[in-house]
């Protein structure tokens, strides 16, 4: 079974600055998918970005990008030009290929300071 | 339409009550999920429905009873709950079971008194 570790329970960033959230994972599979979900105070889990393990290129979605280091089993999320609306709990998640559930990390609470 | 809706948003119930949570999606997804989330914790998978059939039950107590009347609708029937069942209940859906991104609803905040 996979495990996902987020070692930063809380982070803060100044508005317009850049912040990086860390995530490491462990899986015995060679084919898997990685995700970052955002959960603002409104509670809804929103998919921020996904990365397929077989792709070497790091995924990017507007101000959000990942640094995927497959050998190190690391999957960090970089948020550029942070905005107040980025304040939320961020969960890293991993899923092996096939009919397997998502495994979530414990989350990192991000605060954005105006 | 990439939306999963859940009703009610908030629910307070006594330990002897019977209530139901409702989840709906119109994205043509054939997999639907119930998660339980305690404060400051990640979601925990409870049930998975695939093509309207229960495919995964993560050893959830029988006081939680899921139902999938059709491909768009997922219910969670609650009976004789305990205070420790108070949590945020999230519904999600995906095109196929686990094989694609899951889209989450806004959740129902349940308080058991």
């Amino acid at each position: 079974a996979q495990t996902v570790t987020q070692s930063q329970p809380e982070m803060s960033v100044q508005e317009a600055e850049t912040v990086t959230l860390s995530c490491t994972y462990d899986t015995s599979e060679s084919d898997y998918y990685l995700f970052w979900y955002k959960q603002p105070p409104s509670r809804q889990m929103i998919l921020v970005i996904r990365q397929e393990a077989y792709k070497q290129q790091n995924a990017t979605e507007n101000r959000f990008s990942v640094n995927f280091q497959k050998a190190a089993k690391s999957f960090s999320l970089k948020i550029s030009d942070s905005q107040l609306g980025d304040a939320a709990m961020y969960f890293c998640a991993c899923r092996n290929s096939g009919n397997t559930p998502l495994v979530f990390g414990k989350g990192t609470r991000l605060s954005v300071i105006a | 339409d990439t939306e999963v809706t859940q009703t009610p948003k908030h629910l307070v119930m006594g330990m002897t009550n019977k209530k139901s949570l409702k989840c709906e999606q119109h994205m043509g997804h054939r997999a639907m999920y119930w998660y339980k989330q305690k404060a400051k914790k990640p979601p925990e998978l409870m049930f998975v429905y695939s093509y309207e059939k229960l495919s995964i039950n993560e050893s959830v107590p029988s006081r939680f009873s899921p139902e999938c009347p059709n491909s768009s609708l997922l219910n969670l029937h609650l009976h004789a709950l305990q205070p420790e069942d108070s949590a945020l209940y999230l519904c999600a859906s995906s095109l196929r079971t686990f094989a694609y991104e899951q889209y989450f609803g806004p959740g129902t905040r349940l308080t058991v008194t």
Side-chain angles (χ1 to χ4, degrees):
Chain A
Q2 321 94 288
T3 60
V4 177
T5 302
Q6 294 179 250
S7 59
Q8 306 152 315
E10 296 184 357
M11 293 278 288
S12 62
V13 62
Q14 293 278 349
E15 199 175 3
E17 296 296 309
T18 296
V19 64
T20 299
L21 308 183
S22 301
C23 173
T24 57
Y25 61 93
D26 192 19
T27 176
S28 57
E29 300 288 328
S30 59
D31 189 14
Y32 53 90
Y33 301 84
L34 298 163
F35 306 86
W36 278 99
Y37 278 90
K38 168 186 177 182
Q39 188 175 36
S42 65
R43 312 175 317 198
Q44 185 154 7
M45 295 276 285
I46 302 164
L47 178 65
V48 175
I49 202 164
R50 64 172 271 172
Q51 174 82 42
E52 292 89 343
Y54 62 84
K55 289 188 178 177
Q56 292 187 336
Q57 187 171 4
N58 290 326
T60 299
E61 286 287 341
N62 300 315
R63 298 182 295 107
F64 298 87
S65 61
V66 298
N67 183 3
F68 174 46
Q69 301 289 326
K70 191 171 183 178
K73 294 186 177 177
S74 171
F75 182 61
S76 60
L77 175 69
K78 185 172 84 170
I79 306 174
S80 304
D81 186 26
S82 297
Q83 301 175 358
L84 295 176
D86 295 333
M89 181 73 91
Y90 286 82
F91 291 101
C92 180
C94 177
R95 179 183 68 75
N96 289 335
S97 65
N99 198 24
T100 60
L102 274 176
V103 174
F104 290 92
K106 291 187 175 181
T108 296
R109 181 167 300 281
L110 178 67
S111 301
V112 180
I113 303 164
Chain B
D1 181 9
T2 57
E3 190 178 15
V4 177
T5 59
Q6 289 186 245
T7 54
K9 289 185 179 180
H10 302 275
L11 179 61
V12 179
M13 61 185 289
M15 289 189 286
T16 58
N17 291 158
K18 285 185 181 181
K19 296 286 184 183
S20 297
L21 309 184
K22 179 180 173 181
C23 173
E24 199 162 3
Q25 57 86 16
H26 296 286
M27 295 179 278
H29 289 177
R30 302 312 298 269
M32 296 185 78
Y33 313 78
W34 280 116
Y35 287 87
K36 174 183 177 180
Q37 187 179 25
K38 301 287 266 185
K40 299 183 181 180
K41 299 288 187 183
E44 299 173 16
L45 184 64
M46 300 175 72
F47 301 105
V48 181
Y49 272 83
S50 177
Y51 290 85
E52 297 98 70
K53 292 189 187 328
L54 183 64
S55 63
I56 292 179
N57 176 342
E58 292 285 358
S59 303
V60 179
S62 60
R63 57 185 183 270
F64 295 91
S65 175
E67 178 197 18
C68 190
N70 58 56
S71 60
S72 300
L73 193 56
L74 185 66
N75 297 321
L76 186 63
H77 303 297
L78 314 172
H79 174 55
L81 295 192
Q82 304 297 309
E84 60 264 28
D85 297 321
S86 298
L88 181 68
Y89 288 83
L90 293 165
C91 175
S93 72
S94 64
L95 191 60
R96 301 289 183 267
T97 310
F98 297 130
Y100 296 84
E101 291 91 89
Q102 293 182 29
Y103 292 84
F104 285 83
T108 294
R109 174 76 64 194
L110 173 67
T111 303
V112 182
T113 60

